[in-house]
């Protein structure tokens, strides 16, 4: 008898907790229907008349009107771009060219740096 009363109390407690949680979830539409002057601080901008229209994310663009380049056309375009780059570098003069990056010495385990894997030192098995 006592066990049945305890189970009944627990089930009523669980049901009331579930009802409370579900009631909390449904309060959002109620807040939207409140009068405009209730609960809003002074200077709050008015809500827009129409909801925001999100961009159509899943719409696929129409197929391209122009076909893609063939291998030969792509090679030709790359040659034209390289020629234009060479002409521009020639116009700038010899002193304006970018210097190649200086090579850095690799640190080894002997001078406090990390060992180069090609050295054969400190390899993981």
């Amino acid at each position: 008898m006592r066990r049945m009363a305890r189970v009944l109390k627990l089930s009523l407690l669980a049901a009331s907790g579930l009802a409370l949680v579900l009631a909390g979830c449904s309060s959002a539409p109620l807040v939207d229907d409140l009068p405009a002057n209730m609960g809003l601080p002074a200077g709050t901008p008015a809500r827009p008349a129409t909801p925001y229209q999100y961009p159509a994310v899943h719409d696929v663009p129409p197929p391209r009107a122009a076909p893609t380049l063939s291998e030969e056309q792509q090679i030709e375009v790359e040659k034209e771009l390289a020629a234009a780059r060479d002409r521009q570098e020639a116009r700038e003069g010899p002193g304006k060219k970018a210097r190649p990056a200086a090579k850095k010495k690799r640190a080894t385990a002997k001078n406090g740096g990390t060992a180069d894997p090609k050295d054969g030192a400190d390899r993981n098995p």
Side-chain angles (χ1 to χ4, degrees):
M1 198 63 138
R2 286 187 111 191
R3 183 177 166 91
M4 187 181 256
R6 197 164 94 188
V7 170
L8 182 63
K9 284 182 184 179
L10 286 175
S11 62
L12 286 175
L13 184 63
S16 63
L18 182 63
L20 182 65
V21 168
L22 291 176
C25 292
S26 65
S27 67
L30 296 176
V31 173
D32 289 340
D33 294 336
L34 290 175
N37 60 357
M38 183 179 197
L40 294 177
T44 303
R47 285 190 177 199
T50 59
Y52 180 73
Q53 298 296 319
Y54 291 97
V57 177
H58 297 291
D59 287 350
V60 179
R64 294 181 180 186
T68 57
L69 296 176
S70 67
E71 291 289 324
E72 295 83 25
Q73 291 172 332
Q74 187 173 358
I75 292 171
E76 184 64 32
V77 168
E78 289 175 2
K79 286 180 183 177
E80 290 175 9
L81 288 172
R85 180 191 63 222
D86 293 340
R87 283 193 306 268
Q88 186 174 3
E89 286 177 353
R91 235 184 299 148
E92 290 178 0
K96 300 278 184 170
K97 289 185 181 179
R99 290 186 226 157
K103 292 184 180 180
K104 295 181 181 178
K105 292 184 179 180
R106 290 189 178 185
T108 62
K110 294 177 185 173
N111 62 8
T114 58
D116 188 13
K118 294 178 184 173
D119 292 341
D122 297 334
R123 288 190 186 176
N124 286 337

